[in-house]
Amino acid sequence: MTASLKLPLVPASFFGMVLGLSGLANAWRVGARIWRLPALIGEVLTFIALAVWLLLIVLYALKWMMAREEAFKEAAHPVQCCFIGLIGVATMLVAGGLLPYSRIGAVYTLAFSVWRTGGLWQGERDIATTTAVLYLPSVAGSFVTAIVGAALGFPQWAQLFFGAGFFAWLAIESALLHRLLTGPALAAPLRPTLGIQLAPPAVGALAYIGVTQGPPDMLVHAMIGYGLLQALIMLRLLPWIMKEGFSPAYWAFTFGATALATAPMRLVERGDVGAVTQLAPILFAAANIVVGLIALATIWLIANRKLVIGWVALADRAAGTVGQR
């Protein structure tokens, strides 16, 4: 038996678990400040996210060392390749308080975004490969870099990254909506990736809050409003999305869901009143339910030794429905 068969060939998309756990941990930390919720929960979730990140980093590094052919295959895949950008985003989220590691995550994220986006701009892609994962390299990476940069005391750099993420979001959004409206229906294994659609407005709102001062303005309210619209559309599409049953791909919903909960909470912390004060507890509860259910389903897959095998099978079926570049 070869080394590649002995190793759990962890796909880069699994780093989405770190984003969801870190996002929920951040929501609990804000909740502890504004509602006096137990601070311990946020800290425990932070260390769980750190442990998951560390495990995935080790397994993913071993994949490149001992199963390089599979790693290159993932990097060349027209859909799965974009998930590789999550590694830098996850690194920044779990190491936001450690300046040296956060810088490494930012450099990796920027470098991967430039490399992958440059490849995408060369064209000759099957329209079926245009999915919400395109947001990950440039939009998610830039917004998270802005959030972490602002928290570490680099507001001007954070503003530059916010601008990169904001305008990349608008550009990719138009291309993605054109594909969804006029192209073929998403293949069933790829439909959970639509959960990423929640993230840009919600994470962008968090980034905007981080790089601005003073009372909240209309733009941040508008971004949260658009995030709410995306959430409602996701609920309407849920039966269609769930046609293939549960897989780790559903972690795509968690980062956007936790960010959509945290953004109104941050506004309450900044003294905002009105609609956000009513929405904040509802969205916080919803985010806990989303992450909790997906985490429990993932634990069930792990217990039944179906986590990696099931995801690989779904990825293979998805690859069979789209053309390779």
Side-chain angles (χ1 to χ4, degrees), residues 81-169:
C81 65
C82 291
F83 285 111
I84 299 174
L86 289 178
I87 298 172
V89 177
T91 300
M92 286 187 290
L93 286 173
V94 300
L98 301 175
L99 180 56
Y101 296 103
S102 297
R103 281 178 172 171
I104 292 173
V107 170
Y108 171 90
T109 299
L110 179 60
F112 181 80
S113 173
V114 171
W115 174 78
R116 189 57 208 156
T117 303
L120 295 173
W121 283 12
Q122 295 175 37
E124 297 185 8
R125 284 172 51 85
D126 186 336
I127 191 174
T129 65
T130 299
T131 66
V133 301
L134 294 179
Y135 290 125
L136 298 178
S138 56
V139 182
S142 296
F143 280 157
V144 171
T145 304
I147 293 170
V148 175
L152 293 173
F154 299 97
Q156 293 182 341
W157 284 104
Q159 289 173 11
L160 295 179
F161 276 100
F162 172 79
F166 184 82
F167 289 105
W169 164 35

Side-chain angles (χ1 to χ4, degrees), residues 8 46 49 61 69 84-85 95 128 130 202 212 214 224 231 263 270 289 299:
T46 297
E69 182 179 347
I84 299 174
T130 299
T212 58
I224 293 173
R270 292 262 292 260
I289 293 172
I299 292 171

Side-chain angles (χ1 to χ4, degrees), residues 4-28:
S4 62
L5 293 177
K6 293 179 182 178
L7 279 174
L9 300 181
V10 171
S13 57
F14 277 20
F15 283 92
M17 300 179 190
V18 180
L19 271 64
L21 292 169
S22 297
L24 189 61
N26 188 41
W28 272 93

